[in-house]
């Protein structure tokens, strides 16, 4: 805590509002949901695993693997760049609040990060999408597969949480031992972080401006990605937390924050799809089917389950990993590395032979309004979110399903 | 004034959820009136811990920022 003697100015107070304390998670949820609508209005909704897969393909391309020669370079991939900007935005958010530090955990945690990242990659390539594409965007996109993916996530999280508790009981040494922290911004000496935050932010605006000449959509993705990363870091928006905490400490704030984002997204996405907003060059049907993937139901439930296990072990879903990378959490660096290294291999070699064995009836695009109409699909998703809300709030009070 | 400390829990370098899981487990093993010292570096703990204490009835009796990005909590078990 810095002891300010003189009254700080209005701008300094504004800065304090954003960066002195963490934001409530629901503030993060609402703002991220809103930006997600904006992404959809401009192009297509938020996704993270595709971008990380793009990083991985570029990594293998760099080493001359012929399978990935056709991969778009990160600087021209909208979602590859969106992921980069989420890392940078979180980096800026952490710097502004002097929370940035390189935090190196014990070796066991690094291994768990890498394995968790690898599992997320397999879950995302098998289930077509991660907690963002197939959940935070997929559910508002009125995709039946997204709801099944969510069920898979829940099951995976519960199993992996049981594992973590078992590991902590039987092998406590795995998550303890030597750890290191570098470049922390404690006290007055840490004020360099605030300056670094301004430099990073300004650089990103310059980059967006440079892009805007030839690629306006990318310029917008850069700015929105920057804000998304910053919002995630400040509100500690974490989808693992939303699924896990009710079964761990019983805390419901993380879940409610995610639900807030889902509801905002639901309203915006439904309107965009209903009116076919932004469908200029494509058909209205294609606009309706945006972010409705051919994974209903078997691909979704298996993919969701594997992803749920992976994200719980890693301690961050695709986006939770990205923003913690920006904050300097080295366990999540290992998770991101596992994700980007395994993802292209899984997509290219592991998943296709398995998918060939699946009948079409277990992996098709299920668009809820086709069955229930727009009003019915909207109401169904809203009721599911409401039931989830009642469950986590009731559980928070009674602790019936919480481990601690 | 120095507080009495019955147990120290080192969560430096760990990220969510390990610090909260270790904390909940450590508190379980203490008796009422004991004080747990927790050291950590994950910014998330700083908002998770007070919320959990409020819910579980344990009390934070002291919170410090140490050198090198480490924070310290002293928690009194209910």
């Amino acid at each position: 805590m810095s002891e300010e003697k003189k009254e700080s100015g209005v701008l300094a107070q504004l800065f304090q509002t954003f960066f002195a304390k963490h934001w409530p998670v629901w503030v993060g949820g609402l703002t991220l949901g809103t930006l997600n609508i904006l992404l959809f209005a401009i192009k297509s909704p938020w996704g993270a695993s595709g971008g990380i897969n793009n990083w991985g393909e570029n990594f293998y391309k760099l080493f001359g693997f012929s399978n990935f020669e056709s991969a778009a370079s990160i600087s021209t991939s909208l979602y590859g760049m969106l992921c980069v900007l989420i890392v940078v935005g979180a980096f800026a958010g952490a710097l502004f609040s002097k929370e940035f530090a390189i935090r190196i955990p014990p070796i066991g945690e690094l291994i768990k990060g890498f394995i968790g990242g690898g599992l997320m990659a397999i879950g995302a390539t098998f289930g077509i999408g991660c907690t963002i594409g197939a959940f935070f965007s997929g559910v508002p996109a009125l995709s039946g597969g997204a709801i099944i993916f969510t069920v898979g996530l829940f099951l995976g999280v519960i199993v992996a949480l049981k594992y973590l508790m078992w590991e902590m009981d039987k092998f406590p040494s795995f998550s303890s031992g030597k750890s290191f922290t570098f470049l922390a911004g404690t006290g007055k000496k840490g004020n360099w972080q605030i300056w670094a935050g301004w430099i990073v932010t300004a650089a990103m605006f310059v980059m967006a401006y440079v892009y805007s000449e030839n690629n306006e959509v990318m310029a917008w993705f850069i700015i929105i990605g920057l804000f998304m990363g910053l919002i995630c870091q400040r509100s500690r928006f974490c989808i693992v937390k939303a699924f896990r905490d009710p079964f761990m400490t019983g805390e419901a704030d993380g879940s409610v924050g995610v639900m807030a984002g889902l509801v905002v997204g639901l309203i915006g996405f439904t309107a965009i799809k209903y009116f076919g907003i932004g469908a200029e060059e494509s058909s209205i049907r294609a606009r309706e089917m945006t972010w409705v993937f051919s994974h209903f139901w078997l691909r979704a439930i298996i993919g969701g389950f594997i992803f749920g296990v992976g994200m719980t072990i890693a301690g961050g879903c695709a986006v939770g990993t990205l923003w913690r990378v920006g904050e300097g959490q080295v366990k999540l660096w290992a998770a991101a590395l596992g994700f980007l290294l395994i993802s292209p291999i899984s997509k290219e070699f592991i998943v296709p032979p398995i998918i060939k064995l699946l009948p079409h009836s277990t992996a098709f695009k299920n668009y809820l309004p086709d069955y229930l109409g727009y009003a019915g699909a909207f109401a169904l998703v809203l009721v599911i979110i409401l039931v989830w809300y009642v469950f986590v709030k009731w559980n928070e009070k009674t602790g019936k399903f919480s481990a601690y | 004034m120095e507080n009495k400390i019955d147990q120290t829990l080192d969560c430096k370098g760990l990220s969510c959820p390990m610090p909260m899981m270790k904390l909940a487990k450590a508190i379980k093993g203490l008796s009422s009136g004991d004080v747990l010292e927790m050291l950590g570096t994950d910014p998330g703990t700083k908002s998770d811990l007070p919320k959990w204490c409020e819910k579980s009835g344990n009390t934070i009796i002291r919170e410090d920022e140490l050198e090198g990005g480490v924070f310290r909590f002293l928690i009194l078990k209910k």
Side-chain angles (χ1 to χ4, degrees), chain A residues 199-263:
Chain A
I199 293 167
V200 169
T201 308
M204 292 305 115
F205 274 91
V206 170
M207 186 168 78
Y209 183 73
V210 171
Y211 266 101
S212 68
E213 201 162 332
N214 298 312
N215 192 344
E216 288 156 324
V217 174
M218 181 66 94
W220 277 96
F221 266 57
I222 288 170
I223 299 300
I224 293 171
L226 182 72
F227 278 114
M228 282 182 143
L230 190 141
I231 292 166
C232 282
Q233 198 275 338
R234 295 316 300 144
S235 64
R236 310 203 73 74
F237 184 81
C238 180
I239 289 171
V240 188
K241 199 178 166 65
F243 283 96
R244 179 197 62 215
D245 278 12
F247 301 103
M248 196 173 97
T249 53
E251 227 238 279
D253 287 3
S255 318
V256 175
V258 169
M259 288 174 216
L262 286 177
V263 172

Side-chain angles (χ1 to χ4, degrees), chain A residues 23-97:
Chain A
W23 310 353
V25 195
W26 60 265
V27 172
L30 292 179
T31 42
L32 289 168
T34 309
L35 291 175
N36 197 4
I37 298 169
L38 197 55
L39 284 178
F40 192 5
I42 294 170
K43 178 79 185 169
S44 44
W46 192 13
S49 58
I52 302 176
N53 185 66
N54 172 261
W55 294 6
E57 288 184 347
N58 275 282
F59 175 83
Y60 289 115
K61 194 167 138 183
L62 206 65
F63 287 90
F65 287 89
S66 55
N67 293 67
F68 305 108
E69 260 169 8
S70 58
S73 70
I74 297 174
S75 63
T76 60
S77 157
L78 281 176
Y79 286 90
M81 283 298 278
L82 192 63
C83 286
V84 171
L85 266 294
I86 284 171
V87 173
V88 177
F91 180 47
L95 288 170
F96 281 136
S97 45

Side-chain angles (χ1 to χ4, degrees), chain A residues 22 103 169 186 241 249 329, chain B residues 15 25 41-42 48 55 69:
Chain A
H22 294 145
R103 302 171 175 92
D169 257 348
T186 318
K241 199 178 166 65
T249 53
Q329 310 237 20
Chain B
S15 56
K25 189 173 168 233
T41 55
D42 177 24
D48 287 347
K55 196 166 98 64

Side-chain angles (χ1 to χ4, degrees), chain B residues 8-73:
Chain B
T8 295
L9 180 66
D10 180 2
C11 294
K12 292 198 295 281
L14 295 180
S15 56
C16 188
M18 302 313 283
M20 289 309 296
M21 286 179 72
K22 289 195 169 207
L23 174 76
K25 189 173 168 233
I27 290 272
K28 236 182 198 172
L30 292 177
S31 4
S32 183
D34 284 356
V35 174
L36 178 83
E37 176 190 47
M38 185 209 202
L39 302 169
T41 55
D42 177 24
T45 312
K46 280 192 273 182
S47 38
D48 287 347
L49 201 153
K51 265 188 258 169
W52 180 76
C53 280
E54 199 181 307
K55 196 166 98 64
S56 59
N58 301 297
T59 320
I60 298 171
I61 48 178
R62 202 171 155 167
E63 182 182 347
D64 303 298
E65 294 279 343
L66 309 181
E67 270 304 291
V70 180
F71 55 77
R72 185 176 88 134
F73 280 101

Side-chain angles (χ1 to χ4, degrees), chain A residues 330-345:
Chain A
V330 178
K331 179 183 182 186
L332 284 308
W333 293 12
L337 190 68
F339 202 135
L340 79 90
L341 288 182
I342 306 292
S343 180
I345 293 174

